Amino acid sequence: GAKPARLTSIGSHIKVVNALIPLRSSPDAESSNYMLSLLKGTHLEVVSLPVCTRFLSGANLWWGVRTECGLGGWAAEASAIRDVYYLQEIK
């Protein structure tokens, strides 16, 4: 039920687009796993392949990411319920 992946691989450099999104300690939007907010324009590196988890009437693809300061966590590539992507690969 998740939107198709647009990110490609481990080692890809990506940025947050369209919204402020949470960085989480696990790939799950329903747990108390919030770490910090990723502002629009934040640059990240993909460190692990996506995990798909159900959320509301859809699902999220969660990519393992690392911030520029070295903090690791999970970020959803797109919304589970709207037609919007949060992460975009930097080419």
Side-chain angles (χ1 to χ4, degrees):
K3 301 209 177 358
R6 293 184 178 174
L7 305 180
T8 58
S9 63
I10 293 171
S12 295
H13 292 275
I14 61 175
K15 68 180 178 178
V16 177
V17 294
N18 299 328
L20 172 82
I21 63 169
L23 181 68
R24 297 183 178 274
S25 61
S26 61
D28 178 7
E30 298 182 312
S31 298
S32 298
N33 59 2
Y34 170 85
M35 295 171 61
L36 60 92
S37 294
L38 299 171
L39 302 172
K40 183 178 175 181
T42 299
H43 287 226
L44 305 161
E45 180 182 0
V46 175
V47 296
S48 67
L49 295 175
V51 173
C52 185
T53 60
R54 295 205 56 69
F55 182 65
L56 300 173
S57 61
N60 291 109
L61 280 182
W62 295 91
W63 290 81
V65 298
R66 182 173 36 239
T67 66
E68 290 181 310
C69 64
L71 182 62
W74 295 86
E77 182 175 2
S79 172
I81 57 173
R82 295 186 355 221
D83 190 25
V84 63
Y85 280 80
Y86 304 133
L87 302 175
Q88 178 180 355
E89 199 161 331
I90 300 169
K91 306 240 178 190

Coordinates of all heavy atoms in Angstrom, one line a residue:
G1 N 0.8 -1.2 0.0 CA 0.0 0.0 0.0 C 0.8 1.3 0.0 O 0.3 2.3 0.0
A2 N 2.1 1.2 0.1 CA 3.0 2.4 0.1 C 3.2 2.9 -1.4 O 3.0 2.2 -2.3 CB 4.4 2.0 0.7
K3 N 3.5 4.2 -1.4 CA 3.8 4.8 -2.7 C 5.0 4.1 -3.3 O 5.9 3.7 -2.6 CB 3.9 6.3 -2.6 CG 2.7 6.9 -2.0 CD 2.5 8.3 -2.5 CE 1.2 8.9 -2.0 NZ 0.3 8.1 -1.2
P4 N 5.2 4.1 -4.6 CA 6.4 3.5 -5.2 C 7.7 4.2 -4.8 O 7.7 5.5 -4.7 CB 6.2 3.6 -6.7 CG 4.7 3.8 -6.9 CD 4.2 4.5 -5.6
A5 N 8.7 3.5 -4.5 CA 10.0 4.1 -4.1 C 10.6 4.9 -5.2 O 10.6 4.5 -6.4 CB 11.0 3.0 -3.7
R6 N 11.1 6.1 -4.9 CA 11.8 6.9 -5.8 C 13.3 7.0 -5.5 O 14.1 7.3 -6.3 CB 11.2 8.3 -5.9 CG 9.8 8.4 -6.5 CD 9.4 9.8 -6.5 NE 8.1 9.9 -7.1 CZ 7.4 11.0 -7.2 NH1 7.9 12.2 -6.8 NH2 6.2 11.0 -7.8
L7 N 13.6 6.7 -4.2 CA 15.0 6.7 -3.8 C 15.6 5.4 -4.3 O 14.9 4.4 -4.6 CB 15.1 6.7 -2.3 CG 14.4 8.0 -1.6 CD1 14.6 7.9 -0.1 CD2 14.9 9.3 -2.2
T8 N 16.9 5.3 -4.5 CA 17.4 4.2 -5.2 C 18.3 3.2 -4.4 O 18.2 2.0 -4.6 CB 18.2 4.6 -6.5 OG1 19.3 5.5 -6.0 CG2 17.3 5.4 -7.5
S9 N 19.2 3.7 -3.6 CA 20.1 2.8 -3.0 C 20.8 3.3 -1.7 O 20.8 4.5 -1.5 CB 21.2 2.4 -4.0 OG 21.9 3.6 -4.4
I10 N 21.5 2.4 -1.0 CA 22.3 2.8 0.1 C 23.4 3.7 -0.4 O 24.0 3.4 -1.5 CB 22.9 1.5 0.8 CG1 21.7 0.8 1.4 CG2 23.9 1.9 1.8 CD1 22.1 -0.6 2.0
G11 N 23.8 4.7 0.3 CA 24.8 5.6 -0.1 C 24.3 6.8 -0.9 O 25.0 7.8 -1.1
S12 N 23.0 6.8 -1.3 CA 22.4 7.9 -1.9 C 22.3 9.1 -1.0 O 22.1 9.0 0.2 CB 20.9 7.6 -2.4 OG 21.0 6.6 -3.4
H13 N 22.5 10.3 -1.6 CA 22.3 11.6 -0.8 C 20.9 12.1 -1.2 O 20.5 12.2 -2.3 CB 23.4 12.5 -1.1 CG 24.7 12.1 -0.6 ND1 25.1 12.3 0.7 CD2 25.7 11.3 -1.2 CE1 26.3 11.7 0.8 NE2 26.7 11.1 -0.3
I14 N 20.2 12.4 -0.1 CA 18.8 12.9 -0.3 C 18.5 14.1 0.5 O 19.3 14.5 1.4 CB 17.8 11.8 0.1 CG1 18.0 11.4 1.6 CG2 18.0 10.5 -0.7 CD1 17.0 10.4 2.2
K15 N 17.4 14.8 0.2 CA 17.0 15.9 1.1 C 15.5 15.8 1.3 O 14.7 15.2 0.6 CB 17.3 17.2 0.4 CG 16.6 17.5 -0.9 CD 17.0 18.8 -1.5 CE 16.3 19.1 -2.8 NZ 16.6 20.4 -3.4
V16 N 15.1 16.5 2.4 CA 13.7 16.6 2.8 C 13.1 17.7 1.9 O 13.6 18.8 1.8 CB 13.6 17.0 4.3 CG1 12.1 17.1 4.7 CG2 14.2 15.9 5.1
V17 N 11.9 17.4 1.3 CA 11.2 18.3 0.5 C 9.7 18.3 0.9 O 9.3 17.4 1.5 CB 11.3 18.0 -1.0 CG1 12.7 18.1 -1.6 CG2 10.8 16.6 -1.3
N18 N 9.0 19.4 0.7 CA 7.6 19.5 0.9 C 7.1 19.6 2.3 O 5.9 20.0 2.5 CB 6.8 18.4 0.2 CG 7.1 18.3 -1.3 OD1 7.2 19.4 -1.9 ND2 7.1 17.2 -1.8
A19 N 7.8 19.2 3.3 CA 7.3 19.2 4.7 C 8.3 19.1 5.8 O 9.4 18.6 5.5 CB 6.2 18.1 4.8
L20 N 8.0 19.4 7.0 CA 8.7 19.0 8.2 C 8.4 17.6 8.5 O 7.2 17.3 8.6 CB 8.3 20.0 9.3 CG 8.9 19.7 10.7 CD1 10.3 20.3 10.8 CD2 8.0 20.4 11.7
I21 N 9.3 16.7 8.6 CA 9.0 15.3 8.9 C 9.8 14.8 10.1 O 10.9 15.4 10.5 CB 9.3 14.4 7.7 CG1 10.8 14.4 7.3 CG2 8.4 14.8 6.5 CD1 11.1 13.3 6.3
P22 N 9.3 13.8 10.8 CA 10.1 13.3 12.0 C 11.2 12.3 11.6 O 11.0 11.5 10.6 CB 9.0 12.6 12.8 CG 8.0 12.1 11.8 CD 8.0 13.2 10.7
L23 N 12.3 12.3 12.3 CA 13.2 11.2 12.3 C 12.9 10.3 13.4 O 12.7 10.8 14.6 CB 14.7 11.8 12.5 CG 15.8 10.8 12.4 CD1 15.9 10.2 11.0 CD2 17.1 11.4 12.9
R24 N 12.7 9.0 13.2 CA 12.3 8.1 14.2 C 13.4 7.0 14.4 O 14.2 6.8 13.6 CB 11.0 7.4 13.8 CG 9.9 8.4 13.7 CD 8.5 7.8 13.3 NE 7.5 8.7 13.2 CZ 6.7 9.1 14.3 NH1 6.9 8.6 15.5 NH2 5.7 9.9 14.1
S25 N 13.4 6.4 15.6 CA 14.4 5.4 16.0 C 14.0 4.1 15.4 O 14.9 3.2 15.4 CB 14.5 5.3 17.5 OG 13.3 5.0 18.1
S26 N 12.8 3.9 14.9 CA 12.4 2.6 14.3 C 11.4 3.0 13.2 O 10.8 4.0 13.2 CB 11.8 1.7 15.3 OG 10.6 2.2 15.9
P27 N 11.2 2.1 12.2 CA 10.4 2.3 11.0 C 8.9 2.1 11.4 O 8.3 1.2 10.9 CB 10.9 1.4 10.0 CG 11.4 0.2 10.7 CD 12.0 0.8 12.0
D28 N 8.3 3.0 12.2 CA 7.0 2.8 12.7 C 6.4 4.2 13.1 O 7.0 4.8 13.9 CB 7.0 1.9 13.8 CG 5.6 1.6 14.5 OD1 4.6 2.1 13.9 OD2 5.6 1.0 15.5
A29 N 5.3 4.6 12.5 CA 4.7 5.9 12.8 C 3.8 5.9 14.0 O 3.3 6.9 14.4 CB 3.9 6.4 11.6
E30 N 3.6 4.7 14.6 CA 2.6 4.6 15.7 C 3.3 4.4 17.0 O 2.6 4.3 18.0 CB 1.6 3.5 15.4 CG 0.8 3.9 14.1 CD -0.3 2.8 13.8 OE1 0.0 1.6 13.8 OE2 -1.4 3.3 13.6
S31 N 4.6 4.3 17.1 CA 5.3 4.1 18.3 C 5.8 5.4 18.9 O 5.9 6.4 18.2 CB 6.5 3.2 18.1 OG 6.1 1.9 17.6
S32 N 6.2 5.4 20.2 CA 6.8 6.6 20.8 C 8.3 6.5 20.5 O 9.1 6.3 21.3 CB 6.6 6.5 22.3 OG 5.2 6.6 22.6
N33 N 8.6 6.7 19.2 CA 10.0 6.6 18.7 C 10.5 7.9 18.1 O 11.5 7.8 17.4 CB 10.1 5.4 17.8 CG 9.2 5.6 16.6 OD1 8.5 6.6 16.4 ND2 9.2 4.6 15.7
Y34 N 9.9 9.0 18.3 CA 10.3 10.3 17.7 C 11.6 10.7 18.3 O 11.9 10.7 19.5 CB 9.2 11.3 18.1 CG 9.6 12.7 17.7 CD1 9.4 13.2 16.4 CD2 10.2 13.6 18.7 CE1 9.8 14.5 16.1 CE2 10.6 14.8 18.3 CZ 10.4 15.3 17.1 OH 10.8 16.6 16.7
M35 N 12.5 11.1 17.4 CA 13.8 11.6 17.8 C 14.0 13.1 17.6 O 14.4 13.8 18.5 CB 14.9 10.9 17.0 CG 15.0 9.4 17.3 SD 16.1 8.4 16.2 CE 17.7 9.2 16.5
L36 N 13.7 13.6 16.4 CA 13.7 15.0 16.1 C 13.0 15.3 14.8 O 12.7 14.4 14.0 CB 15.2 15.5 16.1 CG 16.1 14.9 15.0 CD1 16.1 15.7 13.7 CD2 17.5 14.9 15.6
S37 N 12.8 16.6 14.6 CA 12.2 17.1 13.3 C 13.2 17.4 12.3 O 14.2 18.0 12.6 CB 11.3 18.3 13.6 OG 10.3 18.0 14.4
L38 N 13.0 16.9 11.1 CA 13.8 17.2 9.9 C 13.2 18.3 9.1 O 12.1 18.1 8.6 CB 14.0 15.9 9.1 CG 14.7 14.7 9.8 CD1 14.6 13.5 8.9 CD2 16.1 15.0 10.1
L39 N 13.8 19.4 9.1 CA 13.3 20.6 8.4 C 13.4 20.4 6.9 O 14.3 19.7 6.4 CB 14.1 21.8 8.8 CG 14.1 22.2 10.3 CD1 15.0 23.4 10.5 CD2 12.7 22.5 10.7
K40 N 12.5 21.1 6.1 CA 12.6 21.1 4.7 C 14.0 21.6 4.3 O 14.5 22.6 4.8 CB 11.5 22.0 4.1 CG 11.5 22.0 2.6 CD 10.3 22.9 2.2 CE 10.3 23.1 0.7 NZ 9.2 24.0 0.2
G41 N 14.7 20.9 3.4 CA 16.0 21.2 3.0 C 17.1 20.4 3.7 O 18.3 20.5 3.3
T42 N 16.8 19.7 4.7 CA 17.7 18.9 5.5 C 18.3 17.8 4.5 O 17.6 17.1 3.8 CB 17.1 18.2 6.7 OG1 16.6 19.2 7.6 CG2 18.1 17.3 7.4
H43 N 19.7 17.7 4.5 CA 20.4 16.7 3.7 C 20.6 15.5 4.6 O 21.0 15.6 5.8 CB 21.7 17.3 3.2 CG 21.5 18.2 2.1 ND1 22.2 18.2 1.0 CD2 20.6 19.3 2.0 CE1 21.8 19.2 0.2 NE2 20.9 19.9 0.8
L44 N 20.4 14.3 4.0 CA 20.6 13.0 4.6 C 21.3 12.1 3.7 O 21.4 12.3 2.5 CB 19.2 12.4 5.0 CG 18.3 13.2 5.8 CD1 16.9 12.7 5.6 CD2 18.7 13.3 7.2
E45 N 21.9 11.0 4.3 CA 22.4 9.9 3.5 C 21.6 8.6 3.8 O 21.3 8.3 5.0 CB 23.9 9.7 3.9 CG 24.5 8.5 3.1 CD 26.0 8.3 3.5 OE1 26.5 8.9 4.4 OE2 26.6 7.3 2.9
V46 N 21.3 7.9 2.8 CA 20.6 6.6 2.9 C 21.6 5.6 3.4 O 22.7 5.4 2.8 CB 20.0 6.1 1.6 CG1 19.3 4.7 1.8 CG2 18.9 7.1 1.2
V47 N 21.3 4.9 4.6 CA 22.2 3.9 5.1 C 21.6 2.5 5.1 O 22.3 1.5 5.4 CB 22.7 4.3 6.5 CG1 23.5 5.6 6.5 CG2 21.6 4.5 7.5
S48 N 20.3 2.4 4.9 CA 19.7 1.0 4.8 C 18.5 1.1 3.9 O 17.9 2.1 3.7 CB 19.4 0.5 6.2 OG 18.4 1.2 6.8
L49 N 18.2 -0.1 3.3 CA 17.1 -0.2 2.4 C 15.8 0.0 3.1 O 15.7 -0.2 4.3 CB 17.2 -1.6 1.7 CG 18.4 -1.7 0.7 CD1 18.4 -3.1 0.2 CD2 18.3 -0.7 -0.4
P50 N 14.7 0.2 2.4 CA 13.4 0.6 3.1 C 12.7 -0.6 3.7 O 12.9 -1.8 3.3 CB 12.6 1.2 1.9 CG 13.1 0.5 0.7 CD 14.6 0.3 0.9
V51 N 11.9 -0.3 4.7 CA 11.0 -1.2 5.4 C 9.6 -0.6 5.2 O 9.4 0.6 5.4 CB 11.4 -1.3 6.9 CG1 10.4 -2.1 7.6 CG2 12.8 -1.8 7.1
C52 N 8.7 -1.5 4.8 CA 7.3 -1.0 4.6 C 6.5 -1.4 5.8 O 6.5 -2.5 6.3 CB 6.8 -1.7 3.4 SG 5.1 -1.1 2.9
T53 N 5.8 -0.4 6.4 CA 4.9 -0.6 7.5 C 3.5 0.1 7.2 O 3.5 1.1 6.6 CB 5.4 -0.1 8.8 OG1 5.6 1.3 8.7 CG2 6.7 -0.7 9.2
R54 N 2.4 -0.6 7.6 CA 1.1 -0.1 7.5 C 0.9 1.1 8.4 O 1.4 1.2 9.5 CB 0.1 -1.2 7.8 CG 0.2 -2.3 6.7 CD -1.1 -3.1 6.6 NE -2.3 -2.4 6.2 CZ -2.6 -1.8 5.0 NH1 -1.6 -1.8 4.1 NH2 -3.7 -1.2 4.8
F55 N 0.1 2.1 7.9 CA -0.2 3.3 8.7 C -1.6 3.8 8.1 O -1.7 4.1 7.0 CB 0.8 4.3 8.6 CG 0.5 5.5 9.4 CD1 0.5 5.4 10.8 CD2 0.3 6.8 8.9 CE1 0.2 6.5 11.6 CE2 0.0 7.9 9.6 CZ -0.1 7.8 11.0
L56 N -2.5 3.9 9.0 CA -3.9 4.4 8.7 C -4.4 3.6 7.5 O -4.4 2.4 7.6 CB -3.9 5.9 8.4 CG -3.5 6.8 9.6 CD1 -3.3 8.2 9.1 CD2 -4.4 6.7 10.8
S57 N -4.8 4.2 6.4 CA -5.4 3.5 5.3 C -4.3 3.1 4.2 O -4.7 2.7 3.1 CB -6.5 4.3 4.6 OG -6.0 5.5 4.1
G58 N -3.1 3.4 4.5 CA -2.0 3.1 3.6 C -0.8 2.5 4.2 O -0.9 1.7 5.2
A59 N 0.4 2.8 3.7 CA 1.6 2.3 4.3 C 2.8 3.3 4.0 O 2.6 4.1 3.1 CB 2.0 1.0 3.7
N60 N 3.8 3.2 4.8 CA 5.0 4.0 4.6 C 6.2 3.2 4.2 O 6.4 2.1 4.7 CB 5.4 4.8 5.8 CG 4.4 5.9 6.2 OD1 3.7 5.7 7.2 ND2 4.4 7.0 5.5
L61 N 7.0 3.7 3.3 CA 8.4 3.1 3.1 C 9.3 3.9 3.9 O 9.5 5.1 3.7 CB 8.8 3.2 1.6 CG 8.2 2.2 0.6 CD1 8.8 2.5 -0.8 CD2 8.6 0.8 1.1
W62 N 10.0 3.3 4.9 CA 10.9 3.9 5.8 C 12.3 3.6 5.4 O 12.7 2.4 5.3 CB 10.7 3.4 7.2 CG 9.4 3.8 7.8 CD1 8.2 3.1 7.8 CD2 9.1 5.0 8.5 NE1 7.2 3.8 8.4 CE2 7.7 4.9 8.9 CE3 9.8 6.1 8.9 CZ2 7.1 5.9 9.6 CZ3 9.2 7.1 9.6 CH2 7.8 7.0 10.0
W63 N 13.1 4.6 5.1 CA 14.5 4.4 4.8 C 15.4 4.7 6.0 O 15.1 5.7 6.7 CB 14.9 5.4 3.7 CG 14.3 5.0 2.3 CD1 13.0 5.3 1.9 CD2 14.8 4.3 1.3 NE1 12.8 4.8 0.7 CE2 13.9 4.2 0.3 CE3 16.1 3.7 1.1 CZ2 14.1 3.6 -0.9 CZ3 16.3 3.1 -0.1 CH2 15.4 3.0 -1.1
G64 N 16.4 3.9 6.2 CA 17.4 4.2 7.2 C 18.3 5.3 6.7 O 18.8 5.2 5.6
V65 N 18.4 6.3 7.5 CA 19.1 7.5 7.1 C 20.1 8.0 8.2 O 20.0 7.6 9.3 CB 18.2 8.7 6.7 CG1 17.3 8.3 5.5 CG2 17.3 9.1 7.9
R66 N 21.1 8.8 7.8 CA 22.0 9.4 8.7 C 22.0 10.9 8.4 O 22.1 11.3 7.2 CB 23.4 8.8 8.6 CG 24.4 9.4 9.6 CD 25.7 8.7 9.6 NE 26.2 8.2 8.3 CZ 26.4 6.9 8.0 NH1 26.3 6.0 8.9 NH2 26.9 6.6 6.8
T67 N 21.9 11.7 9.4 CA 22.0 13.2 9.3 C 23.5 13.6 9.0 O 24.4 12.8 9.2 CB 21.5 13.9 10.5 OG1 22.4 13.6 11.6 CG2 20.1 13.5 10.9
E68 N 23.7 14.9 8.6 CA 25.0 15.4 8.4 C 25.9 15.4 9.7 O 27.1 15.3 9.6 CB 24.9 16.8 7.8 CG 24.4 16.8 6.4 CD 24.4 18.2 5.8 OE1 23.8 19.1 6.4 OE2 24.9 18.3 4.7
C69 N 25.2 15.4 10.9 CA 26.0 15.3 12.1 C 26.1 13.9 12.6 O 26.7 13.7 13.7 CB 25.4 16.2 13.2 SG 23.7 15.8 13.7
G70 N 25.7 12.9 11.8 CA 26.0 11.5 12.2 C 24.9 10.8 12.9 O 25.0 9.6 13.3
L71 N 23.7 11.4 13.2 CA 22.6 10.8 13.9 C 21.9 9.9 12.9 O 21.5 10.3 11.8 CB 21.7 11.8 14.4 CG 20.5 11.3 15.3 CD1 21.0 10.6 16.5 CD2 19.6 12.5 15.7
G72 N 21.7 8.6 13.3 CA 21.0 7.7 12.5 C 19.5 7.5 12.9 O 19.2 7.6 14.1
G73 N 18.7 7.2 12.0 CA 17.3 6.9 12.3 C 16.5 6.5 11.0 O 17.1 6.1 10.0
W74 N 15.2 6.6 11.1 CA 14.3 6.2 10.0 C 13.4 7.4 9.5 O 12.9 8.1 10.4 CB 13.4 5.1 10.4 CG 14.3 3.8 10.7 CD1 14.9 3.5 11.9 CD2 14.6 2.8 9.8 NE1 15.5 2.3 11.7 CE2 15.4 1.9 10.5 CE3 14.2 2.5 8.4 CZ2 15.8 0.7 9.9 CZ3 14.7 1.4 7.8 CH2 15.5 0.5 8.5
A75 N 13.3 7.6 8.2 CA 12.4 8.7 7.7 C 11.5 8.1 6.6 O 12.0 7.3 5.8 CB 13.3 9.8 7.1
A76 N 10.3 8.5 6.6 CA 9.3 8.0 5.6 C 9.6 8.8 4.3 O 9.7 10.0 4.3 CB 7.9 8.2 6.1
E77 N 9.6 8.0 3.2 CA 9.8 8.6 1.9 C 8.6 9.4 1.4 O 8.7 10.5 0.8 CB 10.1 7.6 0.8 CG 10.4 8.1 -0.5 CD 10.8 7.1 -1.5 OE1 10.9 5.9 -1.2 OE2 11.1 7.5 -2.7
A78 N 7.4 9.0 1.8 CA 6.1 9.6 1.3 C 5.0 9.5 2.3 O 5.1 8.7 3.3 CB 5.7 9.0 0.0
S79 N 4.0 10.2 2.1 CA 2.8 10.1 3.0 C 2.0 8.8 2.7 O 2.0 8.3 1.6 CB 1.8 11.2 2.7 OG 0.6 11.1 3.4
A80 N 1.5 8.2 3.8 CA 0.7 7.0 3.6 C -0.7 7.3 3.2 O -1.4 6.4 2.6 CB 0.6 6.3 5.0
I81 N -1.1 8.5 3.3 CA -2.5 8.8 3.0 C -2.8 10.0 2.0 O -3.9 10.2 1.6 CB -3.3 9.1 4.3 CG1 -2.7 10.3 5.0 CG2 -3.4 7.9 5.2 CD1 -3.5 10.8 6.2
R82 N -1.7 10.7 1.6 CA -1.8 11.8 0.6 C -0.8 11.5 -0.5 O 0.2 10.8 -0.3 CB -1.5 13.1 1.3 CG -2.5 13.5 2.4 CD -2.3 14.9 2.9 NE -1.1 15.6 2.4 CZ -0.3 16.3 3.2 NH1 -0.6 16.5 4.4 NH2 0.7 16.9 2.6
D83 N -1.0 12.2 -1.6 CA -0.1 12.1 -2.7 C 1.0 13.0 -2.6 O 1.1 14.0 -3.4 CB -0.9 12.3 -4.0 CG -0.1 11.9 -5.2 OD1 0.8 11.1 -5.1 OD2 -0.4 12.4 -6.3
V84 N 1.9 12.8 -1.7 CA 3.1 13.7 -1.5 C 4.3 12.9 -1.0 O 4.2 12.0 -0.2 CB 2.7 14.8 -0.4 CG1 2.5 14.3 0.9 CG2 3.8 15.8 -0.4
Y85 N 5.4 13.2 -1.6 CA 6.7 12.6 -1.2 C 7.4 13.6 -0.3 O 7.4 14.8 -0.5 CB 7.5 12.3 -2.5 CG 7.1 11.0 -3.2 CD1 6.0 11.0 -4.0 CD2 7.8 9.9 -2.9 CE1 5.6 9.8 -4.6 CE2 7.4 8.7 -3.5 CZ 6.3 8.7 -4.4 OH 5.9 7.5 -5.0
Y86 N 8.1 13.1 0.7 CA 8.9 13.9 1.6 C 10.4 13.9 1.3 O 11.1 14.8 1.8 CB 8.7 13.3 3.1 CG 7.3 13.2 3.5 CD1 6.9 12.1 4.2 CD2 6.4 14.3 3.4 CE1 5.6 12.0 4.6 CE2 5.1 14.2 3.8 CZ 4.7 13.0 4.5 OH 3.4 12.9 4.9
L87 N 10.9 12.9 0.7 CA 12.3 12.7 0.4 C 12.6 12.7 -1.1 O 11.8 12.1 -1.8 CB 12.9 11.5 1.1 CG 12.7 11.4 2.6 CD1 13.1 10.0 3.1 CD2 13.4 12.5 3.3
Q88 N 13.7 13.3 -1.5 CA 14.1 13.4 -2.9 C 15.6 13.1 -3.0 O 16.3 13.7 -2.2 CB 13.7 14.7 -3.5 CG 14.1 14.9 -4.9 CD 13.7 16.3 -5.4 OE1 13.1 17.1 -4.7 NE2 14.1 16.6 -6.6
E89 N 16.0 12.3 -3.9 CA 17.4 12.1 -4.2 C 18.0 13.3 -4.8 O 17.5 14.0 -5.6 CB 17.5 10.9 -5.1 CG 18.9 10.3 -5.1 CD 18.9 8.9 -5.6 OE1 17.9 8.1 -5.5 OE2 20.0 8.5 -6.1
I90 N 19.3 13.6 -4.3 CA 20.1 14.7 -4.9 C 21.0 14.1 -5.9 O 21.7 13.2 -5.6 CB 20.9 15.4 -3.7 CG1 20.0 15.9 -2.7 CG2 21.8 16.4 -4.4 CD1 20.8 16.3 -1.4
K91 N 20.9 14.6 -7.1 CA 21.6 14.0 -8.2 C 22.8 14.9 -8.5 O 22.8 16.0 -8.4 CB 20.8 13.8 -9.5 CG 19.5 13.1 -9.2 CD 19.5 11.8 -10.0 CE 18.2 11.1 -9.6 NZ 18.0 9.8 -10.0

